[in-house]
Structures are given as C-alpha cells and as structure tokens.
Amino acid sequence: MSGNDVNVTFRALLPSPDVEVDLVAAYAHPVGLDRPWVRANMVASVDGGAIGPSGRSRDLSSSADRRVMGVLRGLCDVVLVGAHTARVEGYGPVKARTSWAALRAGRPSTPPVAVVSRTLDLPERLLAEAPGHARTIVFTTAGAPADRRAHAARHADLVVVEGESVTPAHVVNALAGRGLHRILTEGGPHLLAEFTAAGLLDELCLTLSPRLLGAGAPRIVSGGPGTPGTREHVSTQSTPVRMAHLLAAEGALFARYVR
C-alpha cells in the first residue's frame, strides 16, 4: 500500500452482513459495459447536508471516505467536476497511486480531470500541472471570455459548445468520443442536479458522515431557481434505484445505489 492510500477495514452490512470487503470488487463497474457509465461520488452528513462549515465537502470526509474515493478514481476513465467545486475544493490533477497498477493496466496511470465552466474561472494548477497523458478537459460555451478561452486552450483540451450552457449530454458524448466511458463525477450539487434531471446518472456512491450540520446546508443535489433538477424542472416520475451494497468503516456508512 502506498503512502497516499489508507489501511482501513470495511465491513459489509448489506447484502452479506459482517463480511470484510474488497473495495475494488465492491465498486467494480458492470461486466461487459458497452456504453458510457456515469457514477457520482458524494458525501453527506446524517441530516443530509453536503457542505461543511468551511464551505467545503471535505469537512465531512475521513480516511475511510478518502480510501473509497481513491478506489473510485483508480477505476474510472475520467473525473468530472463543476467549476465552483473545483475552485472551492482546490482541485488539481489526479495524483498517481502505486496501488492502481493493476486497476489501470492498459490505461494511463491517472485519469484526466474534466471540468465544466461557462466563465473559465478555474484553478490554475488544474490547467498548468496536468501531465501530458492526462491533460485537463475543459467544457465551456462560445460565450466564455475570449482571453480565458485562449489561456485554457494552451494548457488543456478545450471543448467549446454552442449555446448558452453545456448540457450533460454534451459532456457524456464528448468524453465517450475520447474513449472515456467510465465517468466519475464528484459534483458539486448543481452539476449532479443536472445529470439527475437529464436521466444520465447511472450510479450514486454516497458516504454518510457521522456528523450533524443543522439547517441551511445544501443537499448533494441542489441548485438555485431555474437550475435543472429543481422543483420546476422535476417530472412527476422519480428515478428508482436499488442498493447494491452498504458498508461501514470508522463510524461512516458507504452506500452504493444503481439505477
């Protein structure tokens, strides 16, 4: 185990109680996958809050949560994130882990980060520090500031979409066209709301942190008025999911829901 992996024991609660878990097997993608698969990884307090006191989700994280995140990143082809989350959480390129050698056999040693932004106000390290084999992919619109578009194009793979916004379908189709089918979105809540409303979220991996945040904290799927996924955009049909597993470690619960 490398220095950036954490040795934590996970026990299964469902479907086979009290069994020690192999995380790689527990979070393996469907066998024979022949289409894009969008998996979200989110953390929430037990009362449903997604953002901690500092304004960041990492307030709710733990060594066990980071261990799951590491496995999910090792399994995926690309990490997708919204620009606000990238700024607030201080995103940079994904760092390689020695424990990923088998997981990433035949693929680059790290997945690229893909970020969606209309303004292109992005962390500089996400652009400038990405390795050649995993250049950051930036999705924006034709209305983005020209100077920022030029800067992003120098350091990242820029995808410009006509229209006022980048839709989930734009993102999934463009990533699949690059051979990046196993998409791991890490939020934030607005981006997850858009994928949920578009019917393109296949799986949710949810960490329930043993903390209470109280009133006012946003949920893992949220947005202001007009955001896809908010009340005026929700259809009368909910999306059924099934629980694939429920794990426990360090007082936190780790649920995997599949559409």
Side-chain angles (χ1 to χ4, degrees), residues 130 134 161 202:
V161 173
D202 295 293

Side-chain angles (χ1 to χ4, degrees), residues 33-122:
L33 191 62
D34 60 356
R35 65 169 182 85
W37 183 269
V38 181
R39 163 185 281 171
N41 183 38
M42 302 292 286
V43 61
S45 64
V46 293
D47 55 349
I51 305 297
S54 73
R56 301 179 299 178
S57 64
R58 68 178 61 182
D59 297 342
L60 302 172
S61 189
S62 64
S63 57
D65 180 58
R66 290 187 290 274
R67 179 79 178 106
V68 169
M69 175 184 283
V71 169
L72 296 181
R73 285 184 163 193
L75 289 168
C76 79
D77 294 329
V78 59
V79 174
L80 174 66
V81 65
H84 177 75
T85 296
R87 290 192 300 270
V88 172
E89 303 285 350
Y91 265 67
V94 176
K95 295 181 179 179
R97 304 188 180 200
T98 55
S99 60
W100 287 355
L103 291 183
R104 304 200 62 81
R107 296 186 294 164
S109 58
T110 57
V113 174
V115 60
V116 182
S117 175
R118 285 186 291 184
T119 65
L120 294 179
D121 180 11
L122 303 173

Side-chain angles (χ1 to χ4, degrees), residues 195-247:
F195 271 82
T196 302
L200 291 176
L201 185 67
D202 295 293
E203 180 178 335
L204 171 64
C205 299
L206 178 63
T207 299
L208 285 176
S209 173
R211 292 172 174 82
L212 290 168
L213 292 179
R219 298 164 53 227
I220 62 168
V221 177
S222 67
T227 301
T230 53
R231 182 173 299 276
E232 64 267 33
H233 288 269
V234 174
S235 71
T236 57
Q237 298 295 321
S238 62
T239 302
V241 294
R242 65 175 179 84
M243 181 178 285
H245 71 225
L246 181 64
L247 315 179

